[in-house]
Amino acid sequence: MTHPILRRFAISLYGAPPDYPLEAFCALLASHGIGGIGLTPPVFSAHAPEEIAAVLARHGLRAASLNSAGYFLHADPAEAAAQAALDARLLAAALVLQAPVNVIPGGLLHTLPGAAGADPALLRAATRRALAAMAAATPKDVALSLEPMHPMAMGLRSCLNQLSAARDAIQDLPGFGLTLDLFHSYWDDGIEALLRDTAGLLRVVQVCGVVLPRDGGPPRRAALRQGEIDVAAFLRALDAAGYDGMIEYEVFFDAMGRPTPEALVEQAVRDFAAISG
């Protein structure tokens, strides 16, 4: 019998091979009783929003997150234009799918090539202005979700790293909430306060195991019951805070050793049922 908690569980399409069909992945999730899917940029290039909605409906799935808008700091015109086109596709899909759009600020290395000594404070200020412009231009029925990232992502992905900084950046911005990816925020002293006081801000919650290499290298994503972070305790804290949204397992195909989708999903189901008991 399918564990009922799996209706709240979602798995990101990032965990499948890049060319794996959306329909096949949705069918695989549904066969295990999983309730949701995290959608990735290639989906929005290959399918119209209505087609995506039809695929999800056939398999009884919800979209847990649409990835990823933002990257406001692109100095390269071609990169900026490509991101703007993706942003437009994501916002159009969000209206149809009624799902949150994950927003990633962009990092210091997106500024002018070769620029040395970029000022993080100035780039954060530019990001806050861009977030305000996005909020003003986004239809009111679209949910936007700003994701702070681990400081090791400062270069290419995010100049906003703490949950408190992300919360401050979206204060008073209509349509915005927060994405809490445990991989990026497990270290943050603000995580307990956020869960206790502002769980209503959470639009997207992503989880995975976090392995901290003994040689001091960068942390890496792992299966839910691997690594040094107590994911079960985090889930209990989420429940205690009143969060009742989807919980998305986000790992990446290559970094996980290129597993078959069947193996990845089967392990994720076993692990999530075990830690959610």
Side-chain angles (χ1 to χ4, degrees):
M1 185 175 69
T2 299
H3 198 305
I5 194 68
L6 292 175
R7 295 306 303 163
R8 192 183 177 192
F9 191 41
I11 298 181
S12 172
L13 191 53
Y14 281 128
D19 58 350
Y20 201 74
L22 174 64
E23 183 90 48
F25 197 68
C26 288
L28 177 60
L29 298 183
S31 71
H32 288 274
I34 293 167
I37 182 173
L39 295 172
T40 58
V43 171
F44 304 103
S45 297
H47 304 282
E50 294 76 13
E51 183 182 357
I52 300 169
V55 173
L56 269 59
R58 277 197 294 275
H59 299 286
L61 298 175
R62 290 174 53 193
S65 65
L66 313 183
N67 295 280
S68 297
Y71 287 98
F72 302 114
L73 300 177
H74 279 304
D76 182 270
E79 291 178 339
Q83 184 63 52
L86 174 58
D87 289 357
R89 291 195 294 271
L90 289 167
L91 296 178
L95 283 170
V96 175
L97 298 171
Q98 293 296 290
V101 176
N102 212 34
V103 178
I104 295 176
L108 273 62
L109 296 178
H110 286 140
T111 56
L112 289 174
D119 185 337
L122 292 177
L123 297 179
R124 290 181 182 120
T127 293
R128 288 192 291 271
R129 292 192 296 272
L131 289 168
M134 173 178 268
T138 298
K140 64 181 180 64
D141 293 330
V142 171
L144 301 171
S145 193
L146 178 63
E147 180 178 359
M149 290 189 164
H150 191 284
M152 293 192 76
M154 177 81 76
L156 284 174
R157 303 190 70 193
S158 181
C159 63
L160 294 176
N161 309 105
Q162 291 178 283
L163 287 160
S164 56
R167 181 179 56 202
D168 292 348
I170 65 167
Q171 189 173 14
D172 302 324
L173 293 185
F176 260 102
L178 293 176
T179 293
L180 198 172
D181 182 343
L182 187 61
F183 177 78
H184 287 296
S185 295
Y186 71 88
W187 61 277
D188 192 339
D189 278 347
I191 192 169
E192 293 84 1
L194 179 76
L195 294 181
R196 183 177 63 248
D197 301 332
T198 56
L201 283 175
L202 296 180
R203 295 275 173 76
V204 179
V205 171
Q206 296 169 327
V207 295
C208 63
V210 182
V211 170
L212 304 176
R214 300 301 176 191
D215 63 1
R220 63 177 179 83
R221 293 180 186 263
L224 286 166
R225 290 192 285 175
Q226 296 177 359
E228 284 67 49
I229 305 307
D230 189 341
V231 182
F234 172 72
L235 295 179
R236 290 194 296 271
L238 269 180
D239 287 341
Y243 177 78
D244 59 1
M246 300 291 287
I247 298 170
E248 179 183 343
Y249 179 52
E250 185 181 62
V251 291
F252 296 87
F253 175 64
D254 285 330
M256 291 295 286
R258 304 172 67 86
T260 65
E262 294 78 8
L264 179 113
V265 171
E266 286 170 8
Q267 180 172 14
V269 165
R270 288 194 305 270
D271 288 350
F272 188 71
I275 65 177
S276 300

